[in-house]
């Protein structure tokens, strides 16, 4: 990971108490992923293996409904998502889709 991504991670409240050495380890396992508009990052019900930080772009979070899907939230640069199922071992509660070309940091 480059210095810009490391600074993004360092500035997040989730990682604010990490030592420089711990932050360095985190940046080594993090990877940058890119998505085009309409690409799905993950789907509701999927196993959780990662969490994400939006480096650039806009994403929409979608909940399956009885008759149709409903957009419940949009996230932009600096937002993070997917950490709860990643940490507690549950399946994904929502589908996440790129609204525009987006760059994410995946941990």
């Amino acid at each position: 990971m480059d210095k810009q991504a490391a600074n993004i991670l360092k500035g997040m409240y989730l990682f604010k108490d990490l030592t420089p050495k711990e932050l360095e380890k985190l940046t080594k396992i993090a990877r940058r992923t890119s998505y085009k508009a309409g690409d799905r990052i993950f789907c509701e019900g999927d196993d959780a293996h990662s969490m994400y930080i939006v480096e650039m772009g806009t994403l929409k979070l979608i909940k399956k409904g009885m008759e149709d899907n409903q957009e419940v939230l949009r996230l932009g640069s600096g937002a993070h998502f997917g950490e709860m199922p990643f940490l507690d071992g549950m399946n994904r509660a929502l589908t996440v889709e790129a609204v525009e070309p987006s760059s994410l940091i995946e941990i």
Side-chain angles (χ1 to χ4, degrees), residues 4-91:
Q4 178 185 358
N7 285 335
I8 291 170
L9 296 177
K10 184 178 178 180
M12 294 183 60
Y13 77 89
L14 289 173
F15 308 123
K16 69 179 173 65
D17 294 327
L18 294 182
T19 66
K21 189 169 189 147
E22 291 169 329
L23 187 61
E24 182 182 341
K25 287 180 181 179
L26 184 63
T27 59
K28 285 182 180 178
I29 63 168
R31 67 184 183 110
R32 183 174 279 115
T33 56
S34 297
Y35 297 90
K36 299 178 296 218
D39 284 352
R40 290 216 168 141
I41 291 75
F42 54 77
C43 294
E44 184 175 340
D46 286 354
D47 291 337
H49 302 289
S50 304
M51 66 166 289
Y52 301 85
I53 299 102
V54 182
E55 184 175 28
M56 176 193 79
T58 305
L59 308 173
K60 62 181 175 180
L61 285 64
I62 303 162
K63 182 74 177 163
K64 288 182 186 176
M66 293 291 274
E67 296 182 22
D68 59 357
N69 296 332
Q70 181 178 359
E71 181 178 329
V72 295
L73 185 66
R74 285 195 179 213
L75 299 175
S77 299
H80 61 87
F81 64 97
E83 72 279 5
M84 291 309 296
F86 171 63
L87 296 172
D88 67 16
M90 301 296 288
N91 290 349

